[in-house]
Amino acid sequence: MFIAEQRMAKIAAGHPDREDRVVLFDAGEALAAEEDGRLRLPRAAEIAPGSLTAEGRLFLGMLDGVRCFAVRGGLPEKPERPVIRVGCRRMLADLSDAERNAFCRGRELVLWRASHRYCGACRSELLPSANDSALICPVCGTRYYPQLSPAVITAVTRNGGRELLLAHNRGFEPGIYSLIAGFVEAGESAEAAVRREIMEECGIQVRNVRYLTSQVWPFPNSLMLAFAAEYDSGTAAPDGEELTDLGWFTAEEHPRLPGAGSVARRVIDMVFDGKFR
């Protein structure tokens, strides 16, 4: 179980003891301990001491009865086993639910703190709140909270749920196809964002938009809201800007899919398992 600390003054303090767990990451990689074929967050004792003194270390809360910290930077080139360097996306796929929650919170908070040192209203240096997860300007009193960027991701089906619309985004690895996704704009509901993104990127209209589930996606601070929708009208075609290709696929015939651990893969598997028929 992961119990997050909510007071920024306490989040910004402390140093890990030997048994405490650590979210240690930099760019797209992180440190993990490999144990019984699975990954877990490493203990402080398993990490070189110099890696834990990096600026910006944060206390995240209690993870399975011990403290958990987050640090950016200081990844050793050749860590000693059981500690290894892995991609952050693999961490999300392999960690337990509690450790995944800690990892996501740690990565998001560290990146947010690094980009919010000064007040945007008067340029004074911000101070941590003793009562909640805010940073406070001591001069003008403006409060800043950790930022989340809501995004929608949608499974569009037709033919009674047997066919699923999948697309290749310009930013994907070659050959990977996934669901249609995009950020919610200011003044827009999540359902409206679903319809707009699908029209803008694919040129079709959908009906029966319904919420499915959500997932924190800390790259850097997204909250993915997953929906299902049914094809209504139009001819699906990629916009040529974000999407380079798309098509209707079945459980028996489809391209490479996103890896495990993503809400996209979870929803795709639901469709191909017949959950929407």
Side-chain angles (χ1 to χ4, degrees), residues 239-263:
D239 62 358
E241 296 181 6
E242 291 195 42
L243 305 184
T244 60
D245 189 35
L246 57 72
W248 297 96
F249 299 95
T250 66
E252 294 75 30
E253 186 175 352
H254 58 76
R256 287 178 60 203
L257 302 175
S262 66
V263 71

Side-chain angles (χ1 to χ4, degrees), residues 92-115:
L92 293 182
D94 281 19
L95 293 177
S96 68
D97 289 345
E99 289 188 316
R100 187 182 303 115
N101 292 342
F103 180 84
C104 290
R105 181 168 176 78
R107 195 176 194 278
E108 290 189 6
L109 277 183
V110 168
L111 294 176
W112 174 71
R113 281 297 306 270
S115 62

Side-chain angles (χ1 to χ4, degrees), residues 63-188:
L63 176 62
D64 296 331
V66 299
R67 297 184 303 169
C68 185
F69 291 81
V71 186
R72 182 185 184 186
L75 270 66
E77 286 295 325
K78 295 181 179 180
E80 296 185 9
R81 287 191 172 273
V83 174
I84 58 174
R85 290 177 65 139
V86 299
C88 289
R89 283 169 170 78
R90 183 186 167 192
M91 294 283 282
L92 293 182
D94 281 19
L95 293 177
S96 68
D97 289 345
E99 289 188 316
R100 187 182 303 115
N101 292 342
F103 180 84
C104 290
R105 181 168 176 78
R107 195 176 194 278
E108 290 189 6
L109 277 183
V110 168
L111 294 176
W112 174 71
R113 281 297 306 270
S115 62
H116 287 74
R117 293 183 58 190
Y118 301 98
C119 177
C122 73
R123 298 180 291 182
S124 300
E125 189 166 2
L126 298 174
L127 299 177
S129 169
N131 302 315
D132 58 13
S133 58
L135 293 171
I136 305 172
C137 177
V139 177
C140 69
T142 303
R143 302 176 74 87
Y144 297 87
Y145 289 91
Q147 292 177 313
L148 287 178
S149 298
V152 293
I153 185 166
T154 309
V156 182
T157 61
R158 70 178 187 181
N159 191 19
R162 292 175 176 81
E163 293 181 308
L164 174 64
L165 183 66
L166 296 173
H168 178 74
N169 188 292
R170 193 178 299 278
F172 290 173
E173 294 181 13
I176 295 289
Y177 283 62
S178 188
L179 305 178
I180 310 303
F183 288 102
V184 180
E185 298 287 348
E188 185 177 52

